[in-house]
């Protein structure tokens, strides 16, 4: 059981001088982030394929125990018939992401807000997601963003396959608070620009309690501060890490 807390990506100009020290070399930003966070959600993979060497270099830049989640290609999930995505899924999984080795955390499969739940098609899609790739075990997290997924059939599909339903704390999308896997994946999207740590103390206390509760069941926890006041997300992640370290 472990708790990984971090942000989406590591390249964002407003973080230079706020999260990263002034004049910190850009090519060493991931190394710095790896020293101050315990996880990062790689988002570039959603838009296009990456080189195997890139994954290997990213793994080498962070310390033992750090983990990346990898956002699946939009070509896998943004389609009318999900069951037709086998070729796109294979292309995504074989681009070299297993070069992350033991730094590889869950794969995030994000669906459009207009995508409705159709049980048979969704089940067929989930059956395309392998349990291993190149000898490495894979974990799959499902971020659905349409109200039709508030359906016991969807929860059961995820639970049968040990796939996590993403806990999305957002003003825009539904939050389905169901534990369906041996890990929890949360995306917190309400950071505020006028709060130095993104979230006020009481809110951080709440998320620390939730993280402990998820972990108490023996689950690994992946919690990322995403969107909202993006410039504040690294501070929010560091504040939550510090709170959990002080109050285990």
């Amino acid at each position: 059981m472990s708790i990984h807390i971090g942000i989406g990506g590591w390249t964002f100009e407003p973080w230079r001088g706020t999260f990263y020290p002034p004049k910190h070399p850009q090519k060493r930003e991931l190394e710095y982030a790896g020293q101050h966070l315990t996880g990062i959600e790689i988002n570039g993979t959603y838009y296009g394929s990456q080189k195997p060497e890139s994954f290997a270099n990213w793994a080498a830049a962070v310390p033992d125990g750090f983990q990346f989640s990898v956002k699946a290609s939009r070509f896998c999930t943004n389609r009318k018939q999900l069951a037709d995505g086998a070729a796109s899924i294979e292309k995504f999984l074989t681009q070299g992401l297993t070069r992350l080795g033991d730094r590889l955390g869950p794969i995030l499969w994000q669906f459009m807000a207009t995508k409705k739940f159709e049980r048979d098609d969704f089940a067929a899609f989930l059956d395309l997601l392998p349990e291993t790739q190149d000898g490495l075990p894979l974990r799959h997290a499902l971020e659905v963003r349409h109200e039709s997924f508030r359906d016991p059939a969807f929860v059961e599909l995820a639970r049968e396959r040990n796939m996590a339903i993403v806990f999305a704390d957002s003003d825009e999308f539904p939050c389905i608070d169901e534990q369906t896997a041996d890990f929890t994946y949360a995306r917190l999207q309400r950071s505020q620009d006028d709060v130095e740590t993104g979230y006020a103390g009481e809110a951080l206390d709440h998320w620390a309690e939730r993280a402990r509760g998820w972990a108490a069941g023996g689950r690994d926890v992946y919690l990322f501060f995403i969107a909202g006041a993006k410039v504040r997300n690294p501070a929010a992640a560091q504040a939550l890490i510090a709170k959990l370290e002080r109050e285990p």
Side-chain angles (χ1 to χ4, degrees), residues 136-154:
L136 281 180
L138 298 183
R139 282 174 156 175
H140 302 289
L142 313 172
E143 185 177 23
V144 296
R145 300 186 291 173
H146 191 276
E147 287 288 346
S148 62
F149 282 88
R150 292 190 189 276
D151 187 322
F154 167 57

Side-chain angles (χ1 to χ4, degrees), residues 5 13 61 193 246:
I5 298 172
E13 196 279 332
D193 190 56
R246 289 196 304 269

Side-chain angles (χ1 to χ4, degrees), residues 25-223:
Q26 291 185 25
K27 66 180 180 181
R28 298 185 61 187
E29 287 178 344
L30 177 56
E31 179 184 347
Y32 183 92
Q35 294 168 354
H36 293 83
L37 307 171
T38 54
I40 280 179
E41 185 182 278
I42 299 175
N43 295 320
T45 45
Y46 179 74
Y47 300 101
S49 297
Q50 309 295 317
K51 296 179 180 179
E53 295 78 12
S54 295
F55 291 103
N57 290 337
W58 297 338
V62 297
D64 291 343
F66 188 98
Q67 288 206 331
F68 295 95
S69 70
V70 183
K71 192 172 183 179
S73 167
R74 56 184 170 168
F75 297 107
C76 301
T77 56
N78 295 358
R79 54 178 61 243
K80 185 175 181 180
Q81 295 295 320
L82 293 172
D84 294 339
S88 294
I89 292 171
E90 181 180 8
K91 180 179 179 180
F92 167 73
L93 293 174
T94 58
Q95 66 184 293
L97 59 87
T98 55
R99 296 285 295 275
L100 291 172
D102 61 4
R103 272 72 164 169
L104 175 62
I107 296 171
L108 173 65
W109 304 87
Q110 184 187 82
F111 299 86
M112 296 179 67
T114 55
K115 186 63 181 177
K116 297 180 181 179
F117 178 54
E118 298 175 13
R119 187 197 180 284
D120 291 346
D121 185 46
F122 205 80
F125 173 83
L126 297 185
D127 288 341
L128 296 174
L129 308 184
E131 295 183 359
T132 64
Q133 181 69 34
D134 301 332
L136 281 180
L138 298 183
R139 282 174 156 175
H140 302 289
L142 313 172
E143 185 177 23
V144 296
R145 300 186 291 173
H146 191 276
E147 287 288 346
S148 62
F149 282 88
R150 292 190 189 276
D151 187 322
F154 167 57
V155 176
E156 188 60 26
L157 287 175
R159 185 168 286 129
E160 288 173 351
R161 294 162 175 78
N162 192 39
M163 297 181 181
I165 298 174
V166 171
F167 182 99
D169 185 56
S170 166
D171 291 325
E172 298 181 57
F173 308 119
C175 180
I176 301 176
D177 189 2
E178 295 280 354
Q179 297 300 307
T180 56
D182 60 2
F183 69 102
T184 296
Y185 198 111
R187 302 179 89 233
L188 308 187
Q189 303 170 54
R190 300 180 192 267
S191 56
Q192 298 176 307
D193 190 56
D194 60 349
V195 179
E196 186 175 355
T197 55
Y199 287 71
E202 289 184 0
L204 290 171
D205 288 340
H206 169 77
W207 291 117
E209 183 177 354
R210 290 303 303 265
R212 292 190 197 99
W214 288 325
R219 295 181 178 87
D220 293 331
V221 176
Y222 298 85
L223 189 154

